[in-house]
Amino acid sequence: MTNQQDVPLPSQLPGAPKIRFKGPVELRRGQADIPQADQYLLDTKDRAEFTHTDPWRVLRIQSEFVEGFGTLADLGPAISVFGSARTKSGSKHYAIAEEIGRLLVRQNFAVITGGGPGSMEAANKGASEAGGVSVGLGIELPFEQGLNNWVDLGINFRYFFARKTMFVKYAQGFIVLPGGLGTMDELFEAMVLVQTKKVTTFPIVLVGTAFWSPLIDWIRNTLLAEAMIAEVDLDLINVVDTAEEAVQQIVSGLSARTGF
């Protein structure tokens, strides 16, 4: 009777190819000439290099979603307020944003902004001074330094798409003040999400008729005229001029759709 220990392994037979296992994967011949997984893990050479690989970035992205979901899960009803970081303190737009933050709190909403200066700071200030929850979702940018002083609950993000998910997931609507490319990005993303029914109840209010009218006219006279959108898509947004009108549009919009 042959001892089992005396039976050669397939890789030990004469002429047998080199065989290596990488987890459940079997590698043969030239494919077998790779370092072991533990060697990659424990090798001290180039110890920082792996932190710049896509698999590692996936873990960072995952951590941002986990942190955002965990932090904001118990936030309650909230409205995201957008506007320019360049809005000056004491300006008309700053005053309106501050009043919007205050009035939203009186309607039992938390206020979510991008956490930066300008209109974002103003909305956070109004919410904080009114005793509400003032949230800032910051982003790593070359020209903005940290969260404004009126943020009571703040999260900083590396990745725009993770941050933008939080703006939508934990808000019942958007109020959009005059702003630049970042503001336009958030506005059109919200419109697309409503248009495509990715979110089913989401009032979007633009503040400042003079500022927004040229854009609305272009949407109507170009996009609609060229059949790039449907006429019903124009109903995705409402344009107002005061903080009171903006908050009322949010409240009435939610009430009409959900009985909120």
Side-chain angles (χ1 to χ4, degrees), residues 49-247:
E49 182 180 349
F50 75 98
T51 66
H52 303 291
T53 62
D54 284 341
W56 189 257
R57 291 188 182 98
V58 169
L59 295 177
R60 282 208 190 106
I61 292 165
Q62 175 180 292
S63 72
E64 293 203 346
F65 280 108
V66 169
E67 193 67 41
F69 293 160
T71 301
L72 300 176
D74 296 323
L75 182 62
I79 301 298
S80 290
V81 180
F82 297 98
S84 177
R86 296 178 172 87
T87 300
K88 301 298 183 184
S89 178
S91 69
K92 178 181 70 173
H93 297 319
Y94 191 100
I96 292 175
E98 188 175 342
E99 183 65 10
I100 286 171
R102 188 174 296 111
L103 293 176
L104 286 172
V105 168
R106 291 178 184 172
Q107 293 291 334
N108 298 314
F109 290 108
V111 172
I112 304 174
T113 80
S119 294
M120 294 175 280
E121 174 188 286
N124 284 134
K125 180 182 179 183
S128 182
E129 289 186 336
V133 181
S134 176
V135 180
L137 306 180
I139 184 71
E140 179 182 297
L141 292 176
F143 45 80
E144 288 185 20
Q145 298 297 320
L147 299 173
N148 68 68
N149 291 333
W150 297 100
V151 169
D152 300 319
L153 176 61
I155 310 173
N156 281 298
F157 291 84
R158 282 188 175 92
Y159 300 101
F160 265 117
F161 57 87
R163 177 190 188 227
K164 289 163 73 173
T165 298
M166 305 305 154
F167 281 131
V168 177
K169 180 174 176 59
Y170 293 102
Q172 278 66 54
F174 277 4
I175 295 178
V176 189
L177 291 116
L181 297 180
T183 303
M184 298 297 170
D185 178 44
E186 297 292 354
L187 168 61
F188 280 103
E189 180 171 42
M191 292 175 67
V192 169
L193 290 173
V194 176
Q195 179 198 50
T196 56
K197 300 188 185 303
K198 298 296 184 181
V199 290
T200 55
T201 302
F202 207 87
I204 304 169
V205 181
L206 311 185
V207 182
T209 302
F211 183 88
W212 294 109
S213 287
L215 177 62
I216 302 302
D217 290 342
W218 176 77
I219 291 173
R220 178 179 291 107
N221 298 329
T222 302
L223 296 186
L224 181 60
E226 295 285 342
M228 300 297 176
I229 62 171
E231 189 166 359
V232 69
D233 293 333
L234 292 171
D235 297 332
L236 298 177
I237 52 179
N238 293 285
V239 184
V240 301
D241 281 308
T242 69
E244 291 80 5
E245 291 173 320
V247 174

